[in-house]
Amino acid sequence: DFGLAKEHHAANPTDATLTSAGDTAAGVVLGTVPYMSPEQIAGRPLDHRTDIFSLGVVLHEMATGRRPFAGTSSAELASAILRDIPPPVTESRANLPGDLARIIRRCLEKDPRHRIQTARDVGNEFRELARQTSQAVPAAAPAATDAGAIPGFGGRPAIAVLPFDNLSGDPEQEYFADGLAEDLITRLSLWRSFPVIARNSTFVYKGKAVDVKKVAADLGVRYLVEGSVRKAGNRVRIVAQLIDAATGQHVWAATYDRELTDVFAVQDEISAAIAASLVGDLQRAEYAIAERRAPENLEAWGLYQRALPLIYRFTREDSGLARALLERATALDTHFSTALARLAELGVWDFIFSWTDSPQQTLDAAVAHARRAVDLDPRDAQAQAQLAFALMTAGFGDEALEAAGRALDLNPSMPPALIVYAYLRHMTGHPPEESIELIQRAMRLSPHDPAEFLFYDVLSGAYLNAGRHVEGLAAGRRLVALSPSYYWGYLWCAMNAVGLGQLDEARAMVREARRILPGLSLALVRQSLGAMAPEVDHRFANALRQAGVE
């Protein structure tokens, strides 16, 4: 379709652009829809970067056998190109190089400013990829700098802890195996030397036979931890192994036979051994950060583990069951800061999803639980993160930002803290691109997160603040698809639609938000937004008014 482009000679030759309008049918968008760029479909002025997008579509199709965007009609297909974010090509074919997925993703950026800018740059990327893949890498050599790397960790490779197998023959002991893996994830995260994938994403593999290389590619990691637990009476045998997915080799393995009361000491030994094998000699100060007080009561710890999967089913019934378990846990161990933090989290979800008849009282209790958790253990990253979540929801933005920062200082691999921090940064007038990068890091750390809708909640607002309305609308629509009863998804869509001049769409989205929240008003929305920078508040309020929110 390159022959359809018409060169427009501007007064300044450097300003020349390509446009689909020409003598054939002025103002009409021409081309084959599956390979069109978002700006071409929207009828905006074009330049050479529209061809970079089309090239990305071709590359995706060559790599996977299918196009990145689909629809049963031209209208649906055009909407998908404007809205959808295609999965990385490595999701379809795990044997493809991670750099290929990155190149294709950058070609398919919705905003031309964020694509690879020239065909020469694409060629250079492929030359470097060819050079890397043609070189044999010795088994003991370190990974390429971007193998399993996650932004914000200096290019260091990531690690994922898979659910431990329960070999006890007793389904009631399943929580025990889950708890070991969950606590190991937490302890490894505190080392700060490498990114650790969140529990919510690794536990999707629970009970499944896994292919190490496929799982590593899916999660974007270099290293995997696998293990098993066999509990009999008052003794437990824990087997753990660290695997380099790039080579398939076992980096480290160990077996621990312990009295049941020593289980927390075993977790410390495992996390220390894995960290040592990854990063060499560990500083004593780092180890001091990684140490945290174990629960005083093993039964309380078990109740906590049973509650965790219930929290993220996001139903009123499961929330109530989780609350009962956590309340029992905190009654048995009154110093169990992490359980108190999760109680606070439940209160925030109850408030957000209107699962409570006393919303303000529920939110106040959540803040109180979170403050108490931090008082009990200021080094508990989960407590700091849930305090930030509760304070942000209650409208205490400055204090929430500080708590989120403390959580990330303690555990930089914590998606909930990244979500709050990213949202509050752009709402306080900091560059929204910084927030977008933070959320992209969170998505890499937890690619299968059951609270995935929160990623797009922050992304849609950050894109709106950045003036990247096509991407903002796409993120808002993804949010609506993930959580159709969450009225903010429709409001983010409405404000981004205003930015694109699509006022009818914006007002339709506001009507959907009012269906969920009949009392919707501009004052209520601005209070909920909690914008702490005048220019941000003005930008959002103006967009809401144009969308019909008074």
Side-chain angles (χ1 to χ4, degrees):
D1 287 346
F2 295 153
L4 294 174
K6 308 293 181 184
E7 186 174 8
H8 172 70
H9 293 284
N12 182 348
T14 62
D15 292 334
T17 61
L18 299 178
T19 174
S20 55
D23 295 338
T24 304
V28 175
V29 175
L30 302 173
T32 303
V33 176
Y35 301 94
M36 284 184 174
S37 66
E39 62 268 28
Q40 190 175 5
I41 287 172
R44 295 195 293 271
L46 310 179
D47 61 22
H48 61 279
R49 292 172 295 184
T50 192
D51 294 340
I52 301 293
F53 186 93
S54 300
L55 174 61
V57 177
V58 175
L59 291 172
H60 189 287
E61 190 172 357
M62 291 170 67
T64 66
R66 61 176 181 268
R67 295 168 182 158
F69 308 103
T72 58
S73 67
S74 294
E76 283 188 10
L77 184 55
S79 178
I81 292 170
L82 289 170
R83 178 191 67 233
D84 294 348
I85 299 173
V89 295
T90 48
E91 188 171 300
S92 301
R93 292 178 57 192
N95 62 323
L96 290 174
D99 265 357
L100 177 62
R102 177 181 59 79
I103 294 167
I104 294 174
R105 175 184 58 78
R106 288 201 59 211
C107 289
L108 291 175
E109 287 280 358
K110 305 291 186 190
D111 189 328
R113 294 173 299 174
H114 302 291
R115 284 177 210 149
I116 299 178
Q117 293 294 291
T118 70
R120 184 184 300 279
D121 291 336
V122 178
N124 290 338
E125 290 275 9
F126 272 105
R127 271 187 285 276
E128 176 62 17
L129 176 59
R131 185 189 65 79
Q132 289 181 9
T133 55
S134 66
Q135 294 177 346
V137 180
T145 54
D146 68 331
I150 287 177
F153 291 87
R156 290 185 288 274
I159 184 171
V161 180
L162 297 178
F164 278 33
D165 293 329
N166 172 27
L167 303 181
S168 302
D170 180 3
E172 285 298 310
Q173 299 304 325
E174 200 70 32
Y175 80 90
F176 188 84
D178 290 351
L180 283 171
E182 194 266 339
D183 270 20
L184 183 56
I185 290 168
T186 300
R187 290 166 190 268
L188 285 174
S189 298
L190 300 180
W191 284 105
R192 302 173 55 80
S193 298
F194 41 81
V196 182
I197 299 300
R199 174 196 195 274
N200 286 334
S201 286
T202 57
F203 268 58
V204 301
Y205 300 101
K206 182 175 169 60
K208 299 177 181 177
V210 298
D211 177 284
V212 169
K213 289 191 175 182
K214 187 176 186 305
V215 171
D218 182 32
L219 294 174
V221 303
R222 172 71 183 268
Y223 296 99
L224 289 172
V225 178
E226 292 184 315
S228 63
V229 179
R230 187 184 299 276
K231 183 172 173 284
N234 199 42
R235 293 196 65 81
V236 62
R237 167 171 285 191
I238 302 170
V239 177
Q241 54 189 0
L242 177 65
I243 301 169
D244 183 341
T247 64
Q249 293 182 338
H250 288 72
V251 178
W252 167 90
T255 301
Y256 300 84
D257 288 294
R258 293 288 194 277
E259 293 290 330
L260 194 56
T261 52
D262 290 340
V263 67
F264 302 114
V266 172
Q267 291 170 6
D268 286 334
E269 289 182 44
I270 295 173
S271 63
I274 292 172
S277 67
L278 281 177
V279 297
D281 294 334
L282 298 170
Q283 299 294 324
R284 184 176 298 276
E286 284 287 281
Y287 187 75
I289 292 173
E291 283 187 314
R292 70 180 178 95
R293 188 186 60 80
E296 295 175 355
N297 186 294
L298 194 57
E299 184 182 351
W301 182 76
L303 291 166
Y304 172 79
Q305 297 303 330
R306 288 188 175 107
L308 286 182
L310 296 171
I311 295 174
Y312 297 110
R313 290 179 185 170
F314 291 114
T315 70
R316 186 170 191 161
E317 180 183 3
D318 287 316
S319 178
L321 292 172
R323 180 179 300 281
L325 290 166
L326 291 171
E327 286 175 346
R328 286 170 58 195
T330 53
L332 287 168
D333 180 355
T334 57
H335 294 90
F336 197 167
S337 60
T338 312
L340 263 175
R342 294 294 195 177
L343 266 177
E345 181 184 8
L346 278 175
V348 177
W349 292 127
D350 287 350
F351 176 84
I352 288 175
F353 289 109
S354 301
W355 293 335
T356 171
D357 298 327
S358 307
Q360 192 57 52
Q361 184 178 345
T362 298
L363 186 57
D364 290 345
V367 172
H369 283 315
R371 289 194 191 280
R372 172 64 177 156
V374 169
D375 288 343
L376 286 170
D377 188 355
R379 294 187 306 167
D380 186 337
Q382 189 66 245
Q384 296 283 4
Q386 297 308 334
L387 176 61
F389 189 30
L391 288 170
M392 179 183 72
T393 307
F396 300 104
D398 290 329
E399 194 178 352
L401 189 60
E402 290 177 8
R406 290 193 298 269
L408 291 173
D409 284 342
L410 291 163
N411 182 352
S413 292
M414 181 170 276
L418 284 166
I419 287 169
V420 175
Y421 193 73
Y423 179 77
L424 291 172
R425 288 288 286 178
H426 82 82
M427 294 300 286
T428 51
H430 292 86
E433 283 77 11
E434 173 191 304
S435 295
I436 293 166
E437 182 180 339
L438 287 167
I439 288 298
Q440 289 170 343
R441 185 195 308 175
M443 295 170 87
R444 287 282 306 280
L445 287 165
S446 190
H448 303 298
D449 202 295
E452 180 186 9
F453 71 94
L454 287 179
F455 296 147
Y456 294 97
D457 192 14
V458 179
L459 268 181
S460 191
Y463 281 133
L464 174 64
N465 241 341
R468 295 164 60 176
H469 300 299
V470 170
E471 292 156 293
L473 184 56
R477 286 172 171 163
R478 178 64 176 157
L479 171 56
V480 167
L482 289 168
S483 187
S485 63
Y486 182 52
Y487 73 91
W488 262 107
Y490 301 98
L491 292 181
W492 290 129
C493 285
M495 287 186 277
N496 278 291
V498 167
L500 293 170
Q502 300 172 7
L503 295 184
D504 289 342
E505 163 117 359
R507 287 162 185 157
M509 286 294 178
V510 168
R511 286 194 294 273
E512 287 298 309
R514 280 209 174 93
R515 179 178 56 80
I516 298 166
L517 188 67
L520 184 73
S521 68
L522 184 60
L524 177 67
V525 173
R526 292 176 76 177
Q527 180 183 1
S528 177
L529 270 170
M532 292 170 283
E535 68 275 15
V536 174
D537 178 67
H538 175 75
R539 182 180 301 120
F540 287 3
N542 185 52
L544 287 164
R545 288 191 188 95
Q546 291 187 64
V549 181
E550 298 295 340

